[in-house]
Amino acid sequence: MASKPGILTDWPWKPLGSFKYIILAPWITESIYSILVKDAKQWDVFNLAILPLMLWRMLHSQLWISLSRYRTAKGTNRIVDKGIEFDQVDRERNWDDQILFNAIIFYLMNKYLPGGSHLPVWRLDAVIITMLLHAGPVEFLYYWLHRALHHHYLYSRYHSHHHSSIVTEPITSVIHPFAEHIAYYALFSIPVLTTMLTGTGSIIAIAGYMTYADSMNNMGHCNFELIPNWIFSIFPPLKYLMYTPSFHSLHHTQFRTNYSLFMPIYDYIYDTVDKNSDTLYENSIKRKEEPPSVVHLTHLTTPESIYHLRLGFAYLASKPYSSVWYLWLLWPVTLLSMVLTKIYRRTFVVERNRFDQVRLQTWAIPKYRVQYCLKRQKESINNMIEEAVLEAEEKGASVLSLGLMNQGEELNRYGEVYVKKHPQLKVKLVDGSSLAVAALLNSIPKGTTQVLLRGNLTKVAFAVTFALCQKGIQVIVLREDEYEKLDKSFGTKSEDNLVISKSYSSCKVWLVGDDLTEEEQRTATEGTLFIPFSQFPPKKLRKDCFYHTTPAMQTPMALENVDSCENWLPRRVMSVWRIAGILHALEGWEEHECGYTMCNIEKVWEACLKHGFQPLRVPIQSKS
């Protein structure tokens, strides 16, 4: 929102929220009706093309968003190093408003403007006239409108909303108050209206102009330089006819320079070119990929989880993962992504963060959670993890945290197979078990005397059970095979605090793993606190019980570029498996934490608190 919002700041359909697209229903219904009742020779092709053109604009913008986030995460040709935060994602979530506005304008033109209906698909003169009118009046008028918007009166009421984003993303280009968009569409309609009114309009000219404007807008805000230097060497005047991402980036950091739309010629004519434009361009185009100091490995959870990655839908990624009903409309894209995971067998960068001097990159392996349970996928998954380990080693990373890769003993013995296979590894493998145990111990309410352990026995389950028994807290297990495994691993050290029992009605704290059944969950007494010790949370079936998050902690504000949620965790909450890698790098610990090796739990917990990570509140305490 602008600092002093003026009139027509909000979009008219803002009260409709996510149902705003219903205002297009009359026009879309009319178009469908005309197809059904009219002969094909009577169809108005432009009217029928409006909705596909708007869908193309959405897809085009989303491709730019994903590409921009991927490239800036890698660091290649990045312009501004600073990251973005949740407030920017929230401010830019309604970037599709201008596409809805565009559709309304086209429908009105088609219905009421002379020459606006039954346009031909192609006319060469329409393309030429559109190009000339854009290079002339559109660019010239936009330059002066833009300078006017930077006058303190208009800037505080309108344009400051756009400039709230110092570090830009492609969709930043269309984040303006409604009144500004009216002015912009008035400018961009000059070529379209002229060709329509003179009878020279064509669908290709309109679609091409629309795509050109979107491409240049998205490119100018993508925060990585992609225009190669050789293009300007071959044709030097291009410097005045096409801006670069670094050229417009300076406008967002300096505010009073580089006002041009897409053609910098008017900045050169009126002497408003930033003196650092050429230097920033040269530095950005030469910038190499940024080597990470810590790599965190993760993987896809469900087919729909691609939309919740930071490279996916920005707004969905900024909220904890949940199943959204309208994603079924994208089933062709979901199916295509599943096919790609079969073909593409390498990790890909999905996110970067910086904390102090630690550069953290998150790499995703294109495998789904269910595939980790299939024996036939074991070799393929292990090969991809091993390649990621060696790639992290090659890039000079000091730590690789296994994260969701730590699925259990049967897959890769908690990462131990890679250390044994490559004994000279310099990168330290960290599975985060020690910090997970510490977080679990601090999630159990004070005064607890007994807990129920239920779930697949993992390294974390063994360690936290042993720690609880040492503290004098009774651990109840329900199955004899689980009791024998735990008791055998502890020897005589459990001090009789590990018990097997079918009677647990008085137990109000449950430590639960992946294979907790719905039936078992329903047997819990009212007010039970479920604390997951695995990376995946149980399904919340009981409204009369309390559910803690999976082991995680609140991150300090010094952690940069946090604009997406980690799977199902709340904002600015990070899993301990990810934090463990950061701590390993910050503290300079030289040992691996994988296989059956554990770090000192108290030492890890103290280091975590020292660096500003904070434990989450226990739900039962906050609710009471």
Side-chain angles (χ1 to χ4, degrees):
M1 187 66 69
S3 53
K4 299 177 181 179
I7 59 171
L8 295 179
T9 290
D10 291 329
W11 293 85
W13 45 80
K14 183 179 179 181
L16 295 176
S18 58
F19 295 99
K20 59 190 175 185
Y21 277 87
I22 199 171
I23 65 177
L24 294 180
W27 287 298
I28 296 173
T29 303
E30 183 182 5
S31 299
I32 295 173
Y33 178 76
S34 68
I35 295 175
L36 296 176
V37 302
K38 292 183 179 179
D39 186 83
K41 293 180 181 179
Q42 296 179 306
W43 289 353
D44 185 345
V45 180
F46 178 53
N47 180 275
L48 300 179
I50 292 174
L51 181 60
L53 286 175
M54 297 306 106
L55 293 175
W56 160 242
R57 287 196 66 196
M58 289 185 175
L59 175 61
H60 184 210
S61 296
Q62 181 57 50
L63 291 174
W64 269 104
I65 294 166
S66 299
L67 175 63
S68 172
R69 289 188 161 201
Y70 174 74
R71 286 290 299 269
T72 54
K74 287 178 69 70
T76 311
N77 307 128
R78 190 165 62 231
I79 300 170
V80 180
D81 279 328
K82 187 179 178 182
I84 67 174
E85 303 293 334
F86 283 109
D87 60 339
Q88 181 169 339
V89 177
D90 292 339
R91 188 171 60 251
E92 298 178 348
R93 61 168 293 196
N94 290 320
W95 58 271
D96 56 339
D97 277 335
Q98 47 87 31
I99 296 179
L100 180 58
F101 186 40
N102 188 184
I104 293 172
I105 291 174
F106 276 171
Y107 278 121
L108 292 175
M109 283 182 173
N110 174 256
K111 192 171 183 66
Y112 298 109
L113 191 71
S117 62
H118 295 87
L119 294 178
V121 175
W122 166 257
R123 283 190 61 150
L124 179 61
D125 52 356
V127 176
I128 295 173
I129 292 172
T130 299
M131 293 171 61
L132 292 175
L133 288 176
H134 175 81
V138 174
E139 288 280 349
F140 175 76
L141 291 173
Y142 177 89
Y143 174 84
W144 286 106
L145 170 63
H146 198 178
R147 288 193 66 170
L149 287 169
H150 277 264
H151 182 275
H152 64 86
Y153 183 85
L154 292 178
Y155 185 82
S156 62
R157 286 162 176 77
Y158 299 104
H159 203 53
S160 60
H161 180 65
H162 177 67
H163 276 276
S164 298
S165 303
I166 306 297
V167 183
T168 59
E169 290 200 295
I171 51 175
T172 305
S173 62
V174 294
I175 303 303
H176 304 280
F178 178 53
E180 269 194 64
H181 273 288
I182 294 174
Y184 295 147
Y185 273 99
L187 288 179
F188 281 106
S189 66
I190 291 174
V192 178
L193 285 173
T194 302
T195 56
M196 283 185 175
L197 293 173
T198 56
T200 58
S202 74
I203 296 175
I204 294 296
I206 293 173
Y209 185 44
M210 184 178 67
T211 302
Y212 163 76
D214 282 343
S215 297
M216 296 301 290
N217 244 338
N218 289 327
M219 182 190 75
H221 295 80
C222 69
N223 197 31
F224 70 93
E225 189 56 74
L226 75 164
I227 307 299
N229 205 2
W230 58 265
I231 291 182
F232 298 108
S233 301
I234 293 175
F235 186 60
L238 191 63
K239 176 180 181 179
Y240 306 102
L241 303 177
M242 183 180 73
Y243 75 169
T244 64
S246 56
F247 183 91
H248 189 71
S249 179
L250 279 169
H251 176 70
H252 276 263
T253 55
Q254 303 301 321
F255 299 105
R256 298 291 183 180
T257 57
N258 297 4
Y259 292 104
S260 293
L261 179 55
F262 308 139
M263 301 169 64
I265 186 170
Y266 295 107
D267 277 306
Y268 283 98
I269 291 175
Y270 297 108
D271 195 28
T272 53
V273 175
D274 194 289
K275 62 182 179 180
N276 294 315
S277 296
D278 291 338
T279 302
L280 181 62
Y281 170 78
E282 293 294 338
N283 292 339
S284 301
I285 202 67
K286 294 176 182 177
R287 187 167 188 172
K288 303 298 181 183
E289 180 178 339
E290 183 179 66
S293 48
V294 176
V295 172
H296 173 70
L297 284 186
T298 186
H299 63 72
L300 302 170
T301 53
T302 65
E304 293 80 16
S305 63
I306 59 165
Y307 306 115
H308 294 262
L309 291 176
R310 192 179 182 274
L311 303 183
F313 295 161
Y315 181 62
L316 285 183
S318 71
K319 301 191 298 182
Y321 177 86
S322 61
S323 181
V324 183
W325 67 268
Y326 54 78
L327 288 183
W328 70 267
L329 296 171
L330 299 175
W331 68 264
V333 180
T334 307
L335 185 61
L336 176 62
S337 71
M338 295 176 70
V339 174
L340 291 176
T341 60
K342 286 278 189 181
I343 302 171
Y344 191 77
R345 297 176 175 272
R346 290 180 57 85
T347 58
F348 55 95
V349 180
V350 295
E351 192 171 356
R352 71 176 176 95
N353 304 96
R354 183 184 291 272
F355 184 60
D356 197 8
Q357 298 302 312
V358 173
R359 299 181 304 277
L360 172 67
Q361 277 189 358
T362 301
W363 298 356
I365 284 183
K367 291 289 184 181
Y368 302 105
R369 178 188 179 186
V370 67
Q371 292 174 296
Y372 281 77
C373 304
L374 303 177
K375 290 184 178 180
R376 65 177 181 270
Q377 292 286 338
K378 178 179 177 180
E379 183 179 357
S380 174
I381 292 172
N382 275 330
N383 287 339
M384 281 191 278
I385 298 175
E386 183 178 1
E387 288 175 7
V389 170
L390 297 178
E391 185 179 356
E393 172 93 348
E394 184 181 350
K395 291 181 181 293
S398 61
V399 176
L400 184 140
S401 63
L402 294 170
L404 292 183
M405 302 299 108
N406 182 19
Q407 293 293 321
E409 180 180 17
E410 64 280 357
L411 181 65
N412 50 47
R413 294 199 299 276
Y414 307 107
E416 186 181 39
V417 293
Y418 311 119
V419 175
K420 288 189 174 182
K421 190 173 181 179
H422 304 281
Q424 302 302 317
L425 275 179
K426 294 181 181 177
V427 60
K428 304 304 177 186
L429 303 189
V430 177
D431 66 12
S433 298
S434 303
L435 185 55
V437 172
L440 287 166
L441 294 175
N442 284 275
S443 298
I444 296 174
K446 293 181 179 180
T448 299
T449 57
Q450 62 176 201
V451 300
L452 176 70
L453 182 74
R454 179 67 202 97
N456 187 33
L457 294 181
T458 63
K459 177 181 177 181
V460 171
F462 278 96
V464 74
T465 303
F466 180 76
L468 288 171
C469 290
Q470 291 294 98
K471 287 177 174 288
I473 298 176
Q474 188 180 67
V475 179
I476 302 172
V477 293
L478 305 180
R479 299 183 182 180
E480 188 173 344
D481 59 329
E482 294 176 351
Y483 174 82
E484 290 177 354
K485 288 179 182 178
L486 290 166
D487 191 56
K488 184 178 178 181
S489 67
F490 301 158
T492 59
K493 299 178 181 179
S494 66
E495 299 178 0
D496 299 324
N497 286 316
L498 177 67
V499 298
I500 180 170
S501 175
K502 297 295 183 181
S503 176
Y504 51 87
S505 58
S506 62
C507 189
K508 292 284 190 174
V509 178
W510 285 30
L511 292 177
V512 296
D514 289 337
D515 63 346
L516 175 72
T517 65
E518 293 185 6
E519 290 74 19
E520 289 171 333
Q521 203 176 144
R522 290 192 178 97
T523 63
T525 57
E526 181 181 348
T528 295
L529 171 64
F530 294 99
I531 304 176
F533 59 77
S534 70
Q535 293 96 334
F536 296 93
K539 186 177 180 180
K540 297 180 180 180
L541 300 176
R542 300 282 301 272
K543 294 183 179 180
D544 59 346
C545 292
F546 305 91
Y547 293 84
H548 206 307
T549 67
T550 52
M553 302 189 74
Q554 191 79 33
T555 61
M557 294 305 296
L559 183 68
E560 299 177 7
N561 203 38
V562 182
D563 62 354
S564 61
C565 290
E566 184 179 351
N567 296 312
W568 37 82
L569 295 173
R571 290 183 169 186
R572 293 204 70 91
V573 173
M574 184 178 284
S575 71
V576 293
W577 289 277
R578 199 172 175 189
I579 296 172
I582 298 175
L583 293 180
H584 229 76
L586 288 171
E587 294 294 320
W589 294 330
E590 293 297 324
E591 68 275 8
H592 295 286
E593 187 193 16
C594 57
Y596 299 101
T597 303
M598 295 276 290
C599 295
N600 183 281
I601 294 173
E602 291 184 3
K603 180 182 75 170
V604 171
W605 184 249
E606 289 174 2
C608 191
L609 298 179
K610 180 181 72 173
H611 290 289
F613 295 93
Q614 294 297 319
L616 303 177
R617 290 190 300 172
V618 179
I620 194 170
Q621 292 178 336
S622 62
K623 195 161 185 176
S624 62

